[in-house]
């Protein structure tokens, strides 16, 4: 059974870089070939997709955050990571990692996230 | 402001049926599939519906999904106290990639 777990600092100072890692267990990050994504949820708010990557390292990002977000993969460790630069208080949120079921074969795209990690709260404060 | 529009809340008594709407546009719903997520209080979202109307293994058939034009609907029949949660729709957008609705809080009266 595939399981994901986020890890990283729970407190980041304004203007610094937020770095999180998602460890995948119960399966391989590259077999079957899959996308993997990061989603966040600000306190009391809805879901916001940050970015996703294919196991090969190909990425796509939320256009509103693209200048600050980087997602990368380490297949040897069965992990993928998120970096968000120049953070502000508005970046305070619970950050989730999840498998991304993106498939744009044919004329339509399907996209879903399953399973999700339990989430990790990151607070941006000095 | 979310790209997909959901009602903030719906409520019903146990045993009743509810529907949650999710309104999009041609850039997302016209050609693409919809997913729905259930988020119980204090937990991570869980996939409820994918490919507009398919249920992952373990999701009861009380939950159903449909789409017509640029709107999608999640249906819950026989509402139970354990269904009290936030529900989100999501899909692929040709310009914005992955988009979600703002979420709907379901209250069991």
């Amino acid at each position: 059974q595939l399981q994901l777990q986020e890890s990283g600092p729970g407190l980041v100072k304004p203007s610094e870089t937020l770095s999180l890692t998602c460890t995948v267990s119960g399966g391989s990050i590259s077999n079957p070939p899959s996308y993997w994504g990061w989603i966040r949820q600000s306190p009391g708010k809805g879901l916001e997709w940050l970015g996703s990557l294919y196991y090969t390292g190909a990425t796509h990002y939320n256009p509103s955050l693209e200048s600050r977000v980087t997602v990368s993969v380490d297949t040897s460790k069965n992990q993928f990571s998120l970096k968000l630069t120049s953070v502000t208080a508005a970046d305070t949120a619970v950050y989730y990692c999840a498998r991304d079921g993106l498939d744009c074969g044919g004329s339509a795209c399907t996209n879903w996230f399953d399973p999700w990690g339990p989430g990790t709260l990151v607070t941006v404060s000095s | 402001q979310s790209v997909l529009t959901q009602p903030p809340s719906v409520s019903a008594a146990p045993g009743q049926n509810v529907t949650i709407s999710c309104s999009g546009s041609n850039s997302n719903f016209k050609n693409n599939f919809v997913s729905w997520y259930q988020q119980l209080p204090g937990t991570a979202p869980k996939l409820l519906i994918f490919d507009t109307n398919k249920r992952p293994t373990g999701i009861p058939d009380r939950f159903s999904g449909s789409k017509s034009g640029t709107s999608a609907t999640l249906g819950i029949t026989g509402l139970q106290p354990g269904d009290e949660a936030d529900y989100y729709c999501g899909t692929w957008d040709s310009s914005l990639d992955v988009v979600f609705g703002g979420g709907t809080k379901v209250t069991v009266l």
Side-chain angles (χ1 to χ4, degrees):
Chain A
Q1 180 182 356
L2 199 64
Q3 292 186 311
L4 285 73
Q5 178 68 55
E6 307 86 354
S7 59
L11 181 65
V12 181
K13 290 182 168 55
S15 79
E16 294 190 345
T17 297
L18 179 160
S19 296
L20 295 175
T21 296
C22 182
T23 300
V24 178
S25 60
S28 169
I29 205 167
S30 56
N31 188 18
S34 298
Y35 281 90
W36 304 89
W38 288 95
I39 304 102
R40 71 180 179 181
Q41 186 172 35
S42 300
K45 303 293 185 182
L47 303 174
E48 180 180 31
W49 171 72
L50 303 178
S52 295
L53 86 168
Y54 198 47
Y55 78 101
T56 56
T59 56
H60 62 113
Y61 300 119
N62 184 325
S64 69
L65 295 166
E66 188 163 13
S67 63
R68 298 198 294 133
V69 173
T70 301
V71 182
S72 59
V73 64
D74 186 337
T75 54
S76 67
K77 294 182 179 179
N78 230 29
Q79 295 176 334
F80 62 103
S81 300
L82 169 74
K83 289 190 187 299
L84 181 65
T85 62
S86 304
V87 297
T88 69
D91 295 309
T92 293
V94 175
Y95 286 75
Y96 298 100
C97 61
R99 184 180 60 178
D100 181 345
L102 175 64
D103 184 355
C104 285
S107 60
C109 289
T110 184
N111 169 259
W112 43 263
F113 294 95
D114 180 65
W116 296 59
T120 187
L121 174 63
V122 179
T123 301
V124 178
S125 175
S126 55
Chain B
Q1 191 79 1
S2 300
V3 174
L4 306 180
T5 302
Q6 298 181 235
S9 63
V10 298
S11 60
Q16 292 191 324
N17 303 334
V18 298
T19 58
I20 299 170
S21 61
C22 176
S23 178
S25 67
N26 284 337
S27 67
N28 40 66
F29 277 174
K30 183 177 181 182
N31 291 320
N32 299 318
F33 296 94
V34 183
S35 57
W36 288 92
Y37 304 87
Q38 177 193 59
Q39 186 175 33
L40 297 170
T43 68
K46 179 175 76 172
L47 181 66
L48 211 56
I49 298 287
F50 68 102
D51 288 359
T52 302
N53 56 16
K54 298 177 182 175
R55 290 184 306 277
T57 303
I59 301 299
D61 59 7
R62 299 188 300 107
F63 296 93
S64 64
S66 63
K67 188 184 78 167
S68 177
T70 58
S71 290
T73 301
L74 174 71
I76 309 175
T77 59
L79 197 64
Q80 300 178 358
D83 298 333
E84 193 159 281
D86 294 324
Y87 293 82
Y88 294 90
C89 57
T91 191
W92 178 263
D93 184 281
S94 60
S95 300
L96 303 173
D97 290 6
V98 180
V99 292
F100 291 104
T104 298
K105 182 176 182 61
V106 170
T107 300
V108 181
L109 300 173

